[in-house]
Amino acid sequence: MDRSPFISEQVTHYLTKIMGSETPLQQRLRVQTEALPQAIMLTSPNQAALLSMLVRLTGAKRVLEIGTFTGYSALAIASALPDDGTLTCCDINEEWAAIAKSYWSEARIDHKITLHLAPALETLATLTGMYDLIFIDADKGNYAAYYEASLTHLRNGGLIILDNMLWKGTVADTNDNDMITRTLRELNEKIRDDPRVETCLLPIGDGMLLARKR
Ligand SMILES: C[S@@+](CC[C@H](N)C(=O)[O-])C[C@H]1O[C@@H](n2cnc3c(N)ncnc32)[C@H](O)[C@@H]1O
């Protein structure tokens, strides 16, 4: 189910029904994850379809994901990669990683994925080589640092995708001065004014910001 705060429940049901591009395995992982207390963190099926499409459209072969949870978005990304493509995942939670790994193995895409269980900024400091596409979906307080680090790891013409950049619409409310809201609002403005990238902010899910490195 797509749970975008910007779309009515009726349209949400329609979207899920008409655009049901989930595989049975993706659906099973989503249902299992939705039973967790942290289910709100899950990427929506429509977002997963967009991620798959962007991987294919960009011809990405090396992808980095910051924030993997139970592996739902990674499943969509890695399934769209060619057989010699690679996905580097960053997370800190072993329990969720175990769920992710079991589904990646069942999908026979586990040979494409390397999961680093450590704070993502530590992992990013160890990575070498350039990436074609980077998906940022972890702790919001570090988003600005993830964005800067990602730019150094991204090839020219590559794509950074940042999730939750509308933060349930609160970034548009200038009276809302919650710390995360301010962080994401300032980051939207910084990326908009960043001459290193061209951008597009999509109101899909909780807001996905696309930044293409020039
Ligand atoms: C929104 S969830 C990711 C959702 C995932 N992309 C999906 O599609 O289901 C955020 C994840 O970031 C992870 N995380 C939080 N702080 C982190 C950190 N400092 N380094 C790496 N991962 C972190 C959490 O453990 C959690 O799994």
Side-chain angles (χ1 to χ4, degrees):
M1 175 72 68
D2 272 282
R3 296 174 314 274
S4 171
F6 315 113
I7 300 175
S8 72
E9 206 176 319
Q10 189 182 29
V11 175
T12 294
H13 280 291
Y14 179 76
L15 261 182
T16 309
K17 201 169 127 208
I18 204 85
M19 280 296 156
S21 59
E22 268 187 327
T23 64
L25 192 70
Q26 281 178 310
Q27 191 177 18
R28 212 161 10 99
L29 173 54
R30 179 169 55 78
V31 169
Q32 181 174 344
T33 305
E34 281 174 349
L36 296 174
Q38 300 83 1
I40 186 78
M41 296 203 297
L42 187 62
T43 298
S44 75
N46 211 27
Q47 285 181 292
L50 178 64
L51 288 170
S52 299
M53 190 178 287
L54 288 173
V55 168
R56 291 199 174 96
L57 280 174
T58 57
K61 283 188 85 170
R62 291 195 84 218
V63 179
L64 170 64
E65 177 179 80
I66 305 172
T68 294
F69 193 27
T70 58
Y72 183 79
S73 50
L75 179 58
I77 291 168
S79 300
L81 282 169
D83 202 52
D84 60 346
T86 59
L87 171 62
T88 304
C89 289
C90 308
D91 209 287
I92 46 174
N93 187 295
E94 283 184 32
E95 201 182 314
W96 298 332
I99 298 174
K101 283 180 180 168
S102 74
Y103 280 86
W104 297 340
S105 161
E106 200 175 332
R108 296 177 194 274
I109 52 161
D110 46 340
H111 61 287
K112 302 182 198 174
I113 305 178
T114 306
L115 172 61
H116 296 265
L117 278 177
L121 286 174
E122 287 176 20
T123 300
L124 288 168
T126 68
L127 298 177
T128 54
M130 300 304 265
Y131 288 84
D132 303 307
L133 189 149
I134 300 177
F135 178 42
I136 302 176
D137 190 19
D139 49 319
K140 310 309 162 202
N142 277 320
Y143 257 39
Y146 293 149
Y147 172 70
E148 279 304 326
S150 293
L151 272 176
T152 69
H153 289 292
L154 190 71
R155 70 163 167 85
N156 291 342
L159 187 66
I160 299 179
I161 305 165
L162 300 100
D163 197 14
N164 305 104
M165 292 303 280
L166 289 174
W167 204 234
K168 298 186 180 60
T170 56
V171 290
D173 177 359
T174 49
N175 292 319
D176 191 327
N177 283 312
D178 168 75
M179 201 159 76
I180 293 179
T181 303
R182 268 195 289 128
T183 300
L184 297 181
R185 187 186 295 133
E186 283 163 19
L187 186 57
N188 274 327
E189 290 164 11
K190 175 189 160 153
I191 297 176
R192 178 200 62 197
D193 297 336
D194 189 342
R196 296 171 295 179
V197 295
E198 58 176 304
T199 59
C200 173
L201 178 44
L202 301 173
I204 173 176
D206 193 20
M208 285 177 119
L209 175 56
L210 272 48
R212 180 187 169 274
K213 187 173 173 183
R214 293 181 199 276

PDB file of all heavy atoms in Angstrom, residues 112-131:
ATOM      1  N   LYS A 112      24.790  -9.970  -5.825  1.00  0.00           N
ATOM      2  CA  LYS A 112      25.021  -8.581  -6.253  1.00  0.00           C
ATOM      3  C   LYS A 112      25.166  -7.635  -5.053  1.00  0.00           C
ATOM      4  O   LYS A 112      25.575  -6.493  -5.218  1.00  0.00           O
ATOM      5  CB  LYS A 112      23.831  -8.076  -7.089  1.00  0.00           C
ATOM      6  CG  LYS A 112      23.507  -8.876  -8.339  1.00  0.00           C
ATOM      7  CD  LYS A 112      22.326  -8.211  -9.079  1.00  0.00           C
ATOM      8  CE  LYS A 112      21.669  -9.145 -10.065  1.00  0.00           C
ATOM      9  NZ  LYS A 112      20.453  -8.560 -10.677  1.00  0.00           N
ATOM     10  N   ILE A 113      24.795  -8.097  -3.852  1.00  0.00           N
ATOM     11  CA  ILE A 113      24.655  -7.163  -2.725  1.00  0.00           C
ATOM     12  C   ILE A 113      25.722  -7.382  -1.646  1.00  0.00           C
ATOM     13  O   ILE A 113      25.967  -8.510  -1.218  1.00  0.00           O
ATOM     14  CB  ILE A 113      23.253  -7.312  -2.066  1.00  0.00           C
ATOM     15  CG1 ILE A 113      22.150  -7.123  -3.121  1.00  0.00           C
ATOM     16  CG2 ILE A 113      23.082  -6.299  -0.935  1.00  0.00           C
ATOM     17  CD1 ILE A 113      20.736  -7.296  -2.592  1.00  0.00           C
ATOM     18  N   THR A 114      26.333  -6.278  -1.209  1.00  0.00           N
ATOM     19  CA  THR A 114      27.214  -6.296  -0.034  1.00  0.00           C
ATOM     20  C   THR A 114      26.597  -5.384   1.007  1.00  0.00           C
ATOM     21  O   THR A 114      26.360  -4.206   0.739  1.00  0.00           O
ATOM     22  CB  THR A 114      28.622  -5.757  -0.384  1.00  0.00           C
ATOM     23  OG1 THR A 114      29.115  -6.493  -1.502  1.00  0.00           O
ATOM     24  CG2 THR A 114      29.574  -5.917   0.797  1.00  0.00           C
ATOM     25  N   LEU A 115      26.319  -5.938   2.186  1.00  0.00           N
ATOM     26  CA  LEU A 115      25.702  -5.138   3.258  1.00  0.00           C
ATOM     27  C   LEU A 115      26.740  -4.831   4.327  1.00  0.00           C
ATOM     28  O   LEU A 115      27.379  -5.733   4.867  1.00  0.00           O
ATOM     29  CB  LEU A 115      24.527  -5.912   3.859  1.00  0.00           C
ATOM     30  CG  LEU A 115      23.872  -5.325   5.120  1.00  0.00           C
ATOM     31  CD1 LEU A 115      23.294  -3.941   4.868  1.00  0.00           C
ATOM     32  CD2 LEU A 115      22.772  -6.257   5.624  1.00  0.00           C
ATOM     33  N   HIS A 116      26.931  -3.545   4.617  1.00  0.00           N
ATOM     34  CA  HIS A 116      27.849  -3.120   5.679  1.00  0.00           C
ATOM     35  C   HIS A 116      27.029  -2.762   6.913  1.00  0.00           C
ATOM     36  O   HIS A 116      26.209  -1.838   6.856  1.00  0.00           O
ATOM     37  CB  HIS A 116      28.647  -1.883   5.243  1.00  0.00           C
ATOM     38  CG  HIS A 116      29.546  -2.142   4.069  1.00  0.00           C
ATOM     39  ND1 HIS A 116      30.882  -2.474   4.202  1.00  0.00           N
ATOM     40  CD2 HIS A 116      29.303  -2.124   2.740  1.00  0.00           C
ATOM     41  CE1 HIS A 116      31.411  -2.648   3.009  1.00  0.00           C
ATOM     42  NE2 HIS A 116      30.482  -2.437   2.106  1.00  0.00           N
ATOM     43  N   LEU A 117      27.257  -3.490   8.013  1.00  0.00           N
ATOM     44  CA  LEU A 117      26.548  -3.180   9.261  1.00  0.00           C
ATOM     45  C   LEU A 117      27.439  -2.296  10.130  1.00  0.00           C
ATOM     46  O   LEU A 117      28.244  -2.791  10.929  1.00  0.00           O
ATOM     47  CB  LEU A 117      26.175  -4.469   9.988  1.00  0.00           C
ATOM     48  CG  LEU A 117      24.907  -5.167   9.503  1.00  0.00           C
ATOM     49  CD1 LEU A 117      24.678  -6.462  10.253  1.00  0.00           C
ATOM     50  CD2 LEU A 117      23.674  -4.272   9.592  1.00  0.00           C
ATOM     51  N   ALA A 118      27.311  -0.993   9.951  1.00  0.00           N
ATOM     52  CA  ALA A 118      28.100   0.006  10.690  1.00  0.00           C
ATOM     53  C   ALA A 118      27.467   1.359  10.401  1.00  0.00           C
ATOM     54  O   ALA A 118      26.762   1.507   9.384  1.00  0.00           O
ATOM     55  CB  ALA A 118      29.547  -0.002  10.204  1.00  0.00           C
ATOM     56  N   PRO A 119      27.704   2.358  11.253  1.00  0.00           N
ATOM     57  CA  PRO A 119      27.177   3.683  10.931  1.00  0.00           C
ATOM     58  C   PRO A 119      27.591   4.077   9.504  1.00  0.00           C
ATOM     59  O   PRO A 119      28.762   3.943   9.131  1.00  0.00           O
ATOM     60  CB  PRO A 119      27.822   4.580  11.991  1.00  0.00           C
ATOM     61  CG  PRO A 119      28.070   3.657  13.146  1.00  0.00           C
ATOM     62  CD  PRO A 119      28.426   2.328  12.528  1.00  0.00           C
ATOM     63  N   ALA A 120      26.635   4.558   8.727  1.00  0.00           N
ATOM     64  CA  ALA A 120      26.870   4.760   7.286  1.00  0.00           C
ATOM     65  C   ALA A 120      28.032   5.712   7.001  1.00  0.00           C
ATOM     66  O   ALA A 120      28.770   5.504   6.037  1.00  0.00           O
ATOM     67  CB  ALA A 120      25.594   5.263   6.628  1.00  0.00           C
ATOM     68  N   LEU A 121      28.220   6.736   7.844  1.00  0.00           N
ATOM     69  CA  LEU A 121      29.323   7.668   7.570  1.00  0.00           C
ATOM     70  C   LEU A 121      30.670   6.950   7.678  1.00  0.00           C
ATOM     71  O   LEU A 121      31.605   7.267   6.940  1.00  0.00           O
ATOM     72  CB  LEU A 121      29.265   8.878   8.503  1.00  0.00           C
ATOM     73  CG  LEU A 121      28.149   9.892   8.178  1.00  0.00           C
ATOM     74  CD1 LEU A 121      28.078  10.984   9.239  1.00  0.00           C
ATOM     75  CD2 LEU A 121      28.344  10.507   6.789  1.00  0.00           C
ATOM     76  N   GLU A 122      30.755   5.982   8.594  1.00  0.00           N
ATOM     77  CA  GLU A 122      31.997   5.188   8.700  1.00  0.00           C
ATOM     78  C   GLU A 122      32.185   4.346   7.444  1.00  0.00           C
ATOM     79  O   GLU A 122      33.271   4.269   6.879  1.00  0.00           O
ATOM     80  CB  GLU A 122      31.946   4.272   9.928  1.00  0.00           C
ATOM     81  CG  GLU A 122      32.106   5.008  11.235  1.00  0.00           C
ATOM     82  CD  GLU A 122      31.966   4.090  12.443  1.00  0.00           C
ATOM     83  OE1 GLU A 122      32.127   2.851  12.314  1.00  0.00           O
ATOM     84  OE2 GLU A 122      31.675   4.620  13.535  1.00  0.00           O
ATOM     85  N   THR A 123      31.096   3.705   7.003  1.00  0.00           N
ATOM     86  CA  THR A 123      31.184   2.871   5.794  1.00  0.00           C
ATOM     87  C   THR A 123      31.549   3.717   4.586  1.00  0.00           C
ATOM     88  O   THR A 123      32.421   3.345   3.790  1.00  0.00           O
ATOM     89  CB  THR A 123      29.833   2.154   5.544  1.00  0.00           C
ATOM     90  OG1 THR A 123      29.542   1.331   6.672  1.00  0.00           O
ATOM     91  CG2 THR A 123      29.878   1.304   4.295  1.00  0.00           C
ATOM     92  N   LEU A 124      30.894   4.881   4.456  1.00  0.00           N
ATOM     93  CA  LEU A 124      31.150   5.746   3.289  1.00  0.00           C
ATOM     94  C   LEU A 124      32.625   6.131   3.200  1.00  0.00           C
ATOM     95  O   LEU A 124      33.187   6.249   2.108  1.00  0.00           O
ATOM     96  CB  LEU A 124      30.274   7.004   3.369  1.00  0.00           C
ATOM     97  CG  LEU A 124      28.777   6.775   3.099  1.00  0.00           C
ATOM     98  CD1 LEU A 124      27.965   8.006   3.493  1.00  0.00           C
ATOM     99  CD2 LEU A 124      28.534   6.435   1.646  1.00  0.00           C
ATOM    100  N   ALA A 125      33.256   6.315   4.365  1.00  0.00           N
ATOM    101  CA  ALA A 125      34.667   6.719   4.379  1.00  0.00           C
ATOM    102  C   ALA A 125      35.577   5.606   3.868  1.00  0.00           C
ATOM    103  O   ALA A 125      36.731   5.868   3.511  1.00  0.00           O
ATOM    104  CB  ALA A 125      35.065   7.138   5.791  1.00  0.00           C
ATOM    105  N   THR A 126      35.069   4.375   3.829  1.00  0.00           N
ATOM    106  CA  THR A 126      35.915   3.250   3.387  1.00  0.00           C
ATOM    107  C   THR A 126      35.683   2.871   1.923  1.00  0.00           C
ATOM    108  O   THR A 126      36.410   2.056   1.372  1.00  0.00           O
ATOM    109  CB  THR A 126      35.632   1.982   4.226  1.00  0.00           C
ATOM    110  OG1 THR A 126      34.309   1.510   3.919  1.00  0.00           O
ATOM    111  CG2 THR A 126      35.750   2.250   5.714  1.00  0.00           C
ATOM    112  N   LEU A 127      34.640   3.439   1.305  1.00  0.00           N
ATOM    113  CA  LEU A 127      34.271   2.997  -0.044  1.00  0.00           C
ATOM    114  C   LEU A 127      35.219   3.569  -1.094  1.00  0.00           C
ATOM    115  O   LEU A 127      35.668   4.709  -0.990  1.00  0.00           O
ATOM    116  CB  LEU A 127      32.834   3.424  -0.373  1.00  0.00           C
ATOM    117  CG  LEU A 127      31.743   2.826   0.519  1.00  0.00           C
ATOM    118  CD1 LEU A 127      30.374   3.379   0.129  1.00  0.00           C
ATOM    119  CD2 LEU A 127      31.752   1.300   0.464  1.00  0.00           C
ATOM    120  N   THR A 128      35.475   2.764  -2.115  1.00  0.00           N
ATOM    121  CA  THR A 128      36.318   3.227  -3.223  1.00  0.00           C
ATOM    122  C   THR A 128      35.546   3.072  -4.534  1.00  0.00           C
ATOM    123  O   THR A 128      34.570   2.326  -4.597  1.00  0.00           O
ATOM    124  CB  THR A 128      37.617   2.404  -3.310  1.00  0.00           C
ATOM    125  OG1 THR A 128      37.259   1.027  -3.391  1.00  0.00           O
ATOM    126  CG2 THR A 128      38.510   2.644  -2.109  1.00  0.00           C
ATOM    127  N   GLY A 129      35.998   3.749  -5.558  1.00  0.00           N
ATOM    128  CA  GLY A 129      35.337   3.651  -6.862  1.00  0.00           C
ATOM    129  C   GLY A 129      34.101   4.534  -6.917  1.00  0.00           C
ATOM    130  O   GLY A 129      33.604   4.985  -5.884  1.00  0.00           O
ATOM    131  N   MET A 130      33.641   4.804  -8.128  1.00  0.00           N
ATOM    132  CA  MET A 130      32.504   5.702  -8.300  1.00  0.00           C
ATOM    133  C   MET A 130      31.203   4.923  -8.468  1.00  0.00           C
ATOM    134  O   MET A 130      31.188   3.829  -9.034  1.00  0.00           O
ATOM    135  CB  MET A 130      32.723   6.599  -9.528  1.00  0.00           C
ATOM    136  CG  MET A 130      33.970   7.464  -9.431  1.00  0.00           C
ATOM    137  SD  MET A 130      33.969   8.488  -7.929  1.00  0.00           S
ATOM    138  CE  MET A 130      33.299  10.002  -8.567  1.00  0.00           C
ATOM    139  N   TYR A 131      30.121   5.518  -7.980  1.00  0.00           N
ATOM    140  CA  TYR A 131      28.795   4.903  -8.107  1.00  0.00           C
ATOM    141  C   TYR A 131      27.981   5.634  -9.176  1.00  0.00           C
ATOM    142  O   TYR A 131      28.196   6.820  -9.447  1.00  0.00           O
ATOM    143  CB  TYR A 131      28.065   4.953  -6.755  1.00  0.00           C
ATOM    144  CG  TYR A 131      28.667   3.979  -5.766  1.00  0.00           C
ATOM    145  CD1 TYR A 131      29.782   4.316  -5.004  1.00  0.00           C
ATOM    146  CD2 TYR A 131      28.159   2.691  -5.649  1.00  0.00           C
ATOM    147  CE1 TYR A 131      30.359   3.409  -4.132  1.00  0.00           C
ATOM    148  CE2 TYR A 131      28.728   1.774  -4.770  1.00  0.00           C
ATOM    149  CZ  TYR A 131      29.825   2.137  -4.019  1.00  0.00           C
ATOM    150  OH  TYR A 131      30.399   1.227  -3.158  1.00  0.00           O
TER     151      TYR A 131
END
